[in-house]
Amino acid sequence: MTMKTLVIGLDGLPADLLLGDDRLAHVRHLMASGGFARLSGERPADPSAFWRSLDLGRLPGPDDDGEGAHWPSLPGLLSGDEPPLLVGGPSCSGGDPIAESEARLAEFSRRLAEAPWSFARLIDNAPALLQASGAEGAIDSWIRRLDDALAPMLERLGDSGTVLIASRGVADSAAVLATTGGGPGGEIPGLRLVDLAPMLLALAGRPIPPSMTGRAPDAPPGPSGDEPDDEQAVRDRLQGLGYL
Amino acid sequence: MARVAIEKVIVVGLDGLEPRLVGEMLRRGELPHLARLSAEGGLGRVATTSPAQTPVAWSSFATGTNPGGHGIFDFIAREPRSYRPDLALNRYEQPSPFLPARVVNLRRGQPVWDLLSSAGIRSVILRCPCSYPPDPLRGRLLSGMGVPDLRGGFGTGTFYTTDPAEAARESEQVVPLDWPGPGSGPIESVVIGPRNPKDRSDATTPLTIDPRPDEGRVLLRTSGTPGELELRPGSWSPWVRLRFKLGLLQGARGIVRFLLRRLEPGRLELYASPVNFDPMAPPFPISHPDLYAADLADELGLYHTTGMVEDHSALVNGRIDEAAFLSQCDDSWREREGMLSRELHRLDAGLLYCLFDTPDRVQHLFWRFLEPDHPANLGLPPDPEFVGAIAETYRRADSAVGLALEAADDRTLVIAMSDHGFGSFRRGVNLNAWLREHGLLALRDGEGPGGGQEPDLRQVDWSRTKAYALGLTGLYLNRIGREGQGIVPPDEAEGLKEQIARGLSGLVDPRTGREAIRGVDSRERAYAGPFVEEAPDLVVRFGAGYRVSWSGSLGGVSAGIFEDNTRRWSGDHIVDPALVPGLLAMNRPFRDEGAAMVDLAPTILEALGQPAGPAMEGRSLLR
């Protein structure tokens, strides 16, 4: 079975809003069962360059054509036989950021459901647009709605896959990553933006192209299933009913 | 004359109120509000479900169907492949490794509030059993029976003691305290919270116990809020809010109360209630909308959130006494009265349902005070102080009805009702022992009862077992293709069911000469609907004074069939449903002949101008 990779990019979202909010139940679960990091190292300030660096596993350099077209990138490396499912981007703008974001989410969810895929990526720039328009207060409710919307997307990963949620904030950036194939998780020290692509490739069992300057940590984070209750524990709990 | 249109329906659920006791108290003039209902609309009986159990009966109330239509047949179900018992009300599942666990309500069918929501009518549902996780609805809902404590159980308290010989009893944890005596300083201990789902270890939070025997008090210091509190013997502390850390990031918030049981030089006993979900931050939703539980806490203060509020295990185990138990019941009443009053004040149309569970718990635990010769009184003489505890509970129930009547106008239908009645529980019947005596159940070699620990289904030789009992009234055949090690082929099933039903029906207790089992019904006779296949193959109807034995309910196989019930849990209702109908009273004339739980949902719907749901079996009781 092909391992699926789901990447969700949140452009303009500060790291604290992704990692520090107990109310984001799904993000919190992924953090606890997988791994997370505040990204260290160099990160392009330009949104397009930031997300391109994530895809390429390398920072823009003098030989970068601005599109990164001649370097192998995640969508091509992980999409397998099916075309990559790509929705949104850092430069999408126009009308109401919230309405646009909801439309993107709806389209992404629909496409996840209607056709086979191996690599799917959503980049939502609602936080950046909300900040730019002075509506930072709306980010709080937006991120909670997005957290709710994660559940059906995560279900589409099935029993074998990897999910990466990455945020690009003005001051700091963060990543939350979980996979069915990994080991112990927790906070991943020293993780850089350019390490994300090698990490996703390693988790999918794919080779890491030499063009990528990042590296995959040795022990990738992964959700470990909860221990099933033993029968005695169930019996003990039931006795609290009083009738037994 | 045309009936005035009804715009509001208020249902006051009084769990376990026994019509016979109500009748006696009405004659004595002790229940003025029920008397008023009786005069205005009528007061009668309502047939309960088979079996006569709270989650079963209130699910039939909610859906208007027999248990075959909603899938709740008992507190206990079993996983047929493994024969493992489990709770029948809800289950936790993890739809994906990437998603947190979620709760699934095993009560199916369409509740009346769902139909009302579709019609644009609001409902407020307070603590209806089998409403966890909360049903989405137009209105508000606070979940009831089915909500666990933070350990996932139904009331696991903690007993702290300086007696090193003290061992844990049922549904409790014991924490030993090392206290040389006065002057030795505070004791460092912990509050035990949830199990860590990863490794099943106990999550704890620090607790410092500072005994001051010369001052007659203990000071507690916690890591939560309040950080410090004073305990005096016999009084419950206020709620303490705590956070338990589960790994690097995850935590769970709970609330707990303490009771100082004993404080003497060198001897200290302290009880901590089960850790309830914190309504401000429950680990799983307990209300709809999500924030409703927190709104209630904001307005009324913290409150019990577990499905079974009262610490019955603590009383049964002797960790708290009757006075402390009743004090907790009083708190429970006040919480629920506060919630009902709040919602009555806001009710302008639609349905308001509020369940008061406390009458059920008080009757379970204080019935022995009504019967001096009850086996539970052997070695435990009943204190005359508590003879009136049940009657006092009924008076409190009557007051709750009074709250509803006070808020009602001429466009309000008020319904006061119980889900089942009550009676004595004097003798237990071990159905597995009967099956074993009749060659239908076999234990593995060397596992016979009468030795050390009593065997249960884990010690059964399934290759020689045709039937087994589990739960409070259920018997199952060990069917090929359904059970993990089934041996009963399909063509033998009906004959075997008839054989067992014939053998058990009319079973007489040789000690008393009384009929312990009045009858046994096949599930096809007892139920109809889409979930009948999930029911036990046979449903036992016990006689008055009898019930399934304590160990038998979880599949135990005792040496003898009958046993005295010597526990404080001395009253019960899980007998032939015909013996324990519920109470039904309304402020409008209604048909009480043949009234049944399934009639209530159609009654509510008709009152609010709506047709009965398509799956509903009952009919409106309004005249």
Side-chain angles (χ1 to χ4, degrees):
Chain A
M1 185 170 54
T2 309
M3 193 167 185
K4 294 180 172 181
T5 303
L6 175 66
V7 175
I8 296 176
L10 307 174
D11 194 62
L13 188 74
D16 275 348
L17 290 188
L18 180 65
L19 302 180
D21 190 340
D22 277 346
R23 298 169 303 176
L24 306 182
H26 298 109
V27 171
R28 217 60 179 162
H29 179 75
L30 294 173
M31 289 170 69
S33 59
F36 64 95
R38 287 174 192 275
L39 297 179
S40 60
E42 192 178 342
R43 298 179 302 282
D46 173 68
S48 296
F50 179 96
W51 296 109
R52 198 163 61 248
S53 298
L54 190 157
D55 273 352
L56 299 176
R58 59 179 291 131
L59 294 170
D63 52 351
D64 185 356
D65 64 1
E67 295 296 325
H70 59 285
W71 303 115
S73 72
L74 282 180
L77 292 166
L78 287 173
S79 54
D81 296 335
E82 301 90 15
L85 197 174
L86 306 175
V87 171
S91 57
C92 295
S93 65
D96 175 12
I98 299 291
E100 283 190 350
S101 170
E102 286 174 354
R104 272 193 294 274
L105 275 174
E107 182 197 349
F108 191 60
S109 298
R110 178 180 55 76
R111 290 176 61 187
L112 284 175
E114 71 184 12
W117 56 274
S118 296
F119 179 85
R121 189 190 67 198
L122 167 74
I123 296 180
D124 198 320
N125 65 343
L129 295 176
L130 289 167
Q131 277 188 333
S133 62
E136 291 94 338
I139 296 178
D140 184 67
S141 55
W142 172 84
I143 185 70
R144 288 170 65 187
R145 280 202 301 276
L146 182 119
D147 185 72
D148 288 342
L150 283 177
M153 296 184 203
L154 294 172
E155 283 197 64
R156 294 285 168 198
L157 280 168
D159 291 329
S160 176
T162 298
V163 58
L164 167 69
I165 302 177
S167 75
R168 184 198 68 84
V170 174
D172 53 9
S173 300
V176 175
L177 190 140
T179 178
T180 46
E187 186 160 11
I188 308 167
L191 190 71
R192 302 168 299 167
L193 173 65
V194 292
D195 296 332
L196 295 175
M199 203 165 179
L200 293 176
L201 289 165
L203 292 172
R206 304 290 177 86
I208 299 167
S211 61
M212 293 192 173
T213 59
R215 57 177 174 73
D218 293 336
S224 50
D226 292 349
E227 287 288 315
D229 279 340
D230 63 46
E231 180 166 344
Q232 191 56 49
V234 173
R235 287 171 173 268
D236 290 345
R237 284 211 303 263
L238 289 173
Q239 282 192 321
L241 285 167
Y243 291 88
L244 313 179
Chain B
M1 191 174 70
R3 207 168 60 200
V4 176
I6 295 170
E7 294 175 352
K8 297 184 276 188
V9 176
I10 303 169
V11 180
V12 181
L14 303 163
D15 205 289
L17 224 61
E18 163 58 37
R20 185 174 50 81
L21 295 184
V22 168
E24 291 170 8
M25 292 182 74
L26 281 172
R27 281 190 286 280
R28 295 198 298 267
E30 296 180 57
L31 306 173
H33 302 295
L34 282 168
R36 183 178 149 193
L37 278 184
S38 178
E40 290 181 0
L43 182 144
R45 299 179 177 208
V46 58
T48 187
T49 47
S50 176
Q53 295 183 33
T54 291
V56 185
W58 286 117
S59 293
S60 286
F61 161 88
T63 61
T65 69
N66 81 91
H70 57 65
I72 301 292
F73 298 95
D74 198 316
F75 279 104
I76 305 298
R78 94 293 185 218
E79 199 290 297
R81 306 306 294 176
S82 63
Y83 308 91
R84 178 173 150 159
D86 210 344
L87 185 71
L89 312 187
N90 51 58
R91 69 160 182 264
Y92 293 79
E93 63 180 28
Q94 193 158 13
S96 152
F98 297 98
L99 290 169
R102 66 184 179 202
V103 200
V104 177
N105 193 348
L106 296 179
R107 190 262 297 134
R108 276 68 51 92
Q110 189 175 24
V112 61
W113 43 89
D114 190 50
L115 287 160
L116 291 173
S117 294
S118 299
I121 298 171
R122 295 173 63 79
S123 300
V124 178
I125 307 299
L126 296 170
R127 301 278 301 183
C128 188
C130 296
S131 60
Y132 173 70
D135 299 311
L137 76 167
R138 188 184 291 258
R140 299 182 286 280
L141 184 148
L142 181 68
S143 298
M145 179 179 278
V147 179
D149 62 25
L150 211 53
R151 286 180 73 76
F154 292 87
T156 309
T158 306
F159 187 60
Y160 299 83
T161 176
T162 50
D163 181 355
E166 197 63 71
R169 298 174 188 168
E170 297 211 338
S171 285
E172 70 169 9
Q173 302 144 142
V174 167
V175 174
L177 299 177
D178 182 15
W179 185 45
S184 57
I187 309 161
E188 297 303 327
S189 187
V190 294
V191 180
I192 301 175
R195 289 187 184 90
N196 190 321
K198 299 293 178 208
D199 60 9
R200 297 285 149 211
S201 62
D202 289 332
T204 60
T205 182
L207 176 71
T208 302
I209 304 167
D210 187 357
R212 310 274 179 93
D214 50 331
E215 300 168 18
R217 63 182 188 140
V218 164
L219 296 180
L220 291 186
R221 282 185 285 280
T222 77
S223 62
T225 309
E228 183 167 311
L229 58 155
E230 176 189 279
L231 297 182
R232 292 191 180 270
S235 297
W236 288 96
S237 77
W239 288 108
V240 180
R241 300 183 69 198
L242 297 169
R243 184 176 191 272
F244 297 91
K245 199 169 177 188
L246 295 167
L248 187 63
L249 293 165
Q250 287 178 314
R253 295 183 188 278
I255 56 174
V256 65
R257 296 208 300 170
F258 297 91
L259 181 95
L260 179 59
R261 175 69 198 266
R262 186 189 299 261
L263 177 61
E264 297 163 3
R267 185 158 185 196
L268 174 62
E269 291 176 356
L270 183 70
Y271 175 74
S273 73
V275 184
N276 284 223
F277 286 5
D278 183 343
M280 310 294 275
F284 295 94
I286 58 169
S287 67
H288 178 88
D290 278 355
L291 289 177
Y292 179 49
D295 291 344
L296 287 172
D298 263 342
E299 198 168 317
L300 305 170
L302 290 170
Y303 54 87
H304 294 86
T305 55
T306 53
M308 299 184 80
V309 164
E310 300 81 6
D311 275 353
H312 51 81
S313 294
L315 178 55
V316 167
N317 290 334
R319 302 312 194 190
I320 64 174
D321 59 19
E322 275 81 7
F325 181 83
L326 289 174
S327 169
Q328 191 196 28
C329 289
D330 184 56
D331 293 335
S332 171
W333 277 114
R334 274 192 281 104
E335 288 170 2
R336 212 62 57 81
E337 287 161 350
M339 292 175 191
L340 175 61
S341 295
R342 176 192 194 270
E343 296 301 343
L344 284 170
H345 185 67
R346 287 166 166 74
L347 181 69
D348 51 12
L351 168 65
L352 168 56
Y353 166 96
C354 182
L355 178 65
F356 291 84
D357 325 64
T358 305
D360 179 87
R361 298 318 114 70
V362 170
Q363 290 179 99
H364 278 303
L365 289 153
F366 288 77
W367 199 273
R368 69 189 180 96
F369 294 96
L370 302 180
E371 296 179 5
D373 65 341
H374 195 291
N377 290 328
L378 293 170
L380 198 67
D383 185 335
E385 180 186 346
F386 302 112
V387 169
I390 291 176
E392 179 55 32
T393 293
Y394 278 51
R395 284 189 282 273
R396 194 82 181 247
D398 186 69
S399 298
V401 175
L403 291 175
L405 285 171
E406 199 175 311
D409 55 25
D410 63 350
R411 293 174 181 269
T412 307
L413 171 65
V414 176
I415 302 173
M417 62 180 294
S418 61
D419 53 336
H420 52 69
F422 237 90
S424 186
F425 170 24
R426 300 172 68 94
R427 299 270 285 165
V429 183
N430 190 294
L431 298 169
N432 282 326
W434 185 91
L435 290 168
R436 183 166 177 264
E437 263 192 31
H438 288 75
L440 297 169
L441 181 147
L443 294 169
R444 292 197 298 263
D445 291 343
E447 300 279 12
Q453 187 155 6
E454 185 176 290
D456 57 38
L457 296 183
R458 288 170 290 190
Q459 284 78 42
V460 162
D461 179 348
W462 295 108
S463 70
R464 296 186 292 136
T465 292
K466 290 187 172 180
Y468 59 102
L470 185 69
L472 295 161
T473 55
L475 282 161
Y476 299 87
L477 303 189
N478 189 23
R479 290 177 185 254
I480 291 174
R482 185 183 69 180
E483 266 72 9
Q485 300 172 63
I487 63 167
V488 178
D491 59 345
E492 288 181 20
E494 284 310 306
L496 182 57
K497 282 162 66 176
E498 284 169 23
Q499 176 194 344
I500 295 170
R502 248 192 336 268
L504 278 174
S505 296
L507 182 72
V508 171
D509 179 356
R511 164 92 69 85
T512 64
R514 296 181 61 193
E515 190 179 52
I517 294 179
R518 302 183 83 204
V520 178
D521 297 324
S522 71
R523 68 182 182 191
E524 291 77 15
R525 177 188 159 101
Y527 308 123
F531 306 111
V532 172
E533 291 287 309
E534 299 175 20
D537 291 298
L538 294 163
V539 184
V540 176
R541 291 183 280 114
F542 291 99
Y546 289 81
R547 206 206 73 172
V548 71
S549 69
W550 288 109
S551 70
S553 57
L554 275 177
V557 189
S558 56
I561 295 171
F562 295 97
E563 65 186 29
D564 271 338
N565 171 31
T566 57
R567 294 196 193 184
R568 283 180 164 98
W569 185 286
S570 49
D572 218 305
H573 46 82
I574 305 178
V575 294
D576 188 333
L579 299 174
V580 281
L583 175 86
L584 181 61
M586 299 191 204
N587 66 344
R588 301 230 176 176
F590 69 100
R591 166 183 64 82
D592 66 346
E593 315 82 37
M597 291 303 284
V598 293
D599 295 325
L600 270 299
T603 302
I604 292 165
L605 287 164
E606 195 206 1
L608 294 173
Q610 299 300 313
M616 289 184 174
E617 299 156 17
R619 59 195 177 97
S620 172
L621 299 171
L622 295 175
R623 289 191 191 278

